Amino acid sequence: MPSPSLDFWFDLASNYSYLSVMRIETRAAQAGVTVRWRPFLLGPILDTLGWEGPPFVVQKEKGAYVWQDMRRLCRKYGLPWRQPSEFPRRAVLATRVAVLAADEPWLPAWCRAVMTRNYGDDREVDSPEAVAQILTALGLPARQIVDEAGSDANRLRLRERTQAARDLGIFGAPTFFAGEEMFWGNDRLEDALDAALTARQASGGD
Amino acid sequence: MPSPSLDFWFDLASNYSYLSVMRIETRAAQAGVTVRWRPFLLGPILDTLGWEGPPFVVQKEKGAYVWQDMRRLCRKYGLPWRQPSEFPRRAVLATRVAVLAADEPWLPAWCRAVMTRNYGDDREVDSPEAVAQILTALGLPARQIVDEAGSDANRLRLRERTQAARDLGIFGAPTFFAGEEMFWGNDRLEDALDAALTARQASGGD
């Protein structure tokens, strides 16, 4: 019987993805669910959907609220928070590294480090220098990884991943899939984990 | 020392307001918080903000998801649910009754009955007949209330209420205020109740 699993689609530039990137390993471990990390780029999907940017950037009334919401949620979850002076902050190279690291044990640590630098420290996360600095701090061969992340093959991998997100009907981040059941938003992480457990029980047998 | 209180702004046509209308009395009683019910019309505010309807009706990808989300949340909360065949369903007369009943003990029961008819039974809630039927079922003088609800004075009261919502920066429903602190969405009901308790403690007293 396969262990229950949850697909975790997120964007390294997305503020609500930050909350789930930081929380999901602990919560999933408590629930006994394996997480499959699926970094993608939300920007091209929002373009397709006709948005001119993140919905709450387009609508300024909601935008002001979102920072208040983020501040409160980070306090509640015990996460570092500094309102970013630039939003959304480009993180394409960092996302290419995440896609390259699909099967690496350091992928979650990479994502947490990138997001903490953006949302905890208000620092840019897209330059080769920033990316190399974070990789080095994780004890990884920065130069080699940055080169591979920028290769044509890996760029294509990210485009395919983003197309896969589009094909799944994803319209925001983070988004979770328990089997084929979609859950949108950090607020649904716990419900998605519950669904992953239920789906596994429903599939029966060992 | 005043008892802690929470202002609860909601729209009787709004699906996420349905969840909070049904849940808030029990949760607030558990928390020891008094609820001040503030029915208003979200439609005119969305018009002002440049939306051509509820955000997830305008964006159809999100729209399909919302019904899935509602079905799951109603199951989780133990609430009746039938996906409405018409959305958003006009509920202006019902809202006028709610505004008229600002100081009446039957206001919460009224709101629950209207919303259960819409979201639990998929029935219209705006005709004088529907409104009278619900009022009668609550043991109230339907004809008198419908007449007063439609009076010029009461229509003006609802317009003023909706303007007050706009002045507060409300952009969606439900919205809660613990003092001046805004919380948006049914997902934040529990956090808003916590904030109401904290705000009261911070204000000191005996």
Side-chain angles (χ1 to χ4, degrees):
Chain A
M1 180 171 177
S3 84
S5 67
L6 188 69
D7 289 348
F8 170 38
W9 293 79
F10 61 97
D11 180 315
L12 284 174
S14 141
N15 60 297
Y16 287 111
S17 291
Y18 168 54
L19 302 178
S20 290
V21 160
M22 302 303 283
R23 300 197 308 124
I24 195 166
E25 282 216 315
T26 303
R27 300 310 301 256
Q30 288 166 342
V33 171
T34 301
V35 178
R36 295 191 290 208
W37 294 62
R38 297 285 184 267
F40 75 107
L41 292 179
L42 180 58
I45 292 181
L46 294 180
D47 288 346
T48 309
L49 296 178
W51 290 96
E52 288 163 24
F56 49 83
V57 170
V58 175
Q59 192 177 359
K60 68 178 191 309
E61 295 79 6
K62 196 175 288 188
Y65 172 78
V66 163
W67 298 131
Q68 188 184 359
D69 193 42
M70 285 297 299
R71 179 177 51 73
R72 286 193 301 235
L73 291 171
C74 286
R75 193 174 55 203
K76 175 174 163 177
Y77 297 137
L79 299 175
W81 170 250
R82 186 175 296 174
Q83 184 174 325
S85 51
E86 184 188 351
F87 182 84
R89 200 162 241 152
R90 195 180 146 90
V92 175
L93 178 55
T95 307
R96 286 188 182 129
V97 171
V99 167
L100 181 72
D103 301 319
E104 302 290 343
W106 51 268
L107 174 59
W110 167 251
C111 296
R112 285 194 295 269
V114 170
M115 298 206 93
T116 302
R117 184 178 163 113
N118 184 357
Y119 289 107
D121 300 335
D122 188 24
R123 296 169 70 192
E124 64 91 9
V125 291
D126 196 50
S127 70
E129 294 71 28
V131 166
Q133 195 176 22
I134 307 171
L135 286 167
T136 302
L138 291 173
L140 296 162
R143 181 155 181 182
Q144 177 196 333
I145 290 172
V146 168
D147 284 350
E148 286 182 33
S151 69
D152 287 346
N154 192 58
R155 287 168 188 246
L156 177 61
R157 206 173 283 143
L158 176 53
R159 281 198 296 275
E160 288 174 345
R161 172 65 61 75
T162 297
Q163 183 59 45
R166 192 182 277 120
D167 294 343
L168 283 167
I170 287 175
F171 54 81
T175 294
F176 312 96
F177 279 90
E180 293 184 352
E181 204 174 355
M182 180 196 285
F183 293 81
W184 169 52
N186 172 70
D187 291 328
R188 294 288 175 277
L189 171 55
E190 284 75 10
D191 288 350
L193 288 167
D194 285 346
L197 290 171
T198 307
R200 182 259 216 143
Q201 283 159 6
S203 73
D206 60 345
Chain B
M1 180 171 176
S3 84
S5 67
L6 188 69
D7 290 349
F8 170 39
W9 293 78
F10 61 98
D11 180 315
L12 284 174
S14 142
N15 60 296
Y16 287 111
S17 291
Y18 168 53
L19 302 177
S20 290
V21 160
M22 302 303 283
R23 301 197 308 124
I24 196 167
E25 282 216 315
T26 303
R27 300 310 300 257
Q30 288 166 343
V33 172
T34 300
V35 178
R36 295 190 290 208
W37 294 62
R38 296 285 184 268
F40 75 106
L41 292 178
L42 180 58
I45 292 180
L46 293 180
D47 288 346
T48 309
L49 297 178
W51 290 96
E52 288 163 25
F56 47 83
V57 170
V58 174
Q59 193 177 0
K60 68 177 192 307
E61 295 78 8
K62 196 175 287 188
Y65 172 79
V66 163
W67 298 131
Q68 188 184 0
D69 194 43
M70 285 296 299
R71 178 177 51 73
R72 285 192 301 235
L73 291 172
C74 286
R75 193 174 55 204
K76 176 174 161 177
Y77 296 137
L79 299 175
W81 170 251
R82 186 175 296 175
Q83 184 174 325
S85 51
E86 184 187 350
F87 181 84
R89 199 162 242 151
R90 195 180 146 90
V92 176
L93 178 56
T95 307
R96 285 189 182 129
V97 171
V99 167
L100 181 71
D103 301 319
E104 301 291 344
W106 51 268
L107 174 60
W110 167 251
C111 296
R112 286 193 296 267
V114 170
M115 298 207 93
T116 302
R117 184 177 163 113
N118 184 357
Y119 289 107
D121 301 335
D122 187 24
R123 296 169 70 192
E124 65 90 8
V125 292
D126 197 49
S127 70
E129 294 72 27
V131 167
Q133 194 177 23
I134 308 171
L135 286 167
T136 302
L138 292 172
L140 296 164
R143 182 155 179 181
Q144 177 197 334
I145 291 172
V146 169
D147 283 351
E148 285 182 32
S151 69
D152 287 346
N154 192 59
R155 285 168 189 247
L156 177 61
R157 208 172 283 142
L158 175 53
R159 281 197 297 276
E160 288 173 345
R161 172 66 62 74
T162 297
Q163 183 58 45
R166 191 181 278 120
D167 294 344
L168 282 167
I170 287 175
F171 54 81
T175 294
F176 312 96
F177 279 89
E180 293 184 353
E181 203 174 356
M182 179 196 285
F183 293 82
W184 169 51
N186 172 70
D187 291 328
R188 294 287 176 277
L189 171 56
E190 283 74 11
D191 288 352
L193 287 167
D194 285 346
L197 290 171
T198 308
R200 181 258 217 143
Q201 284 159 4
S203 71
D206 60 348

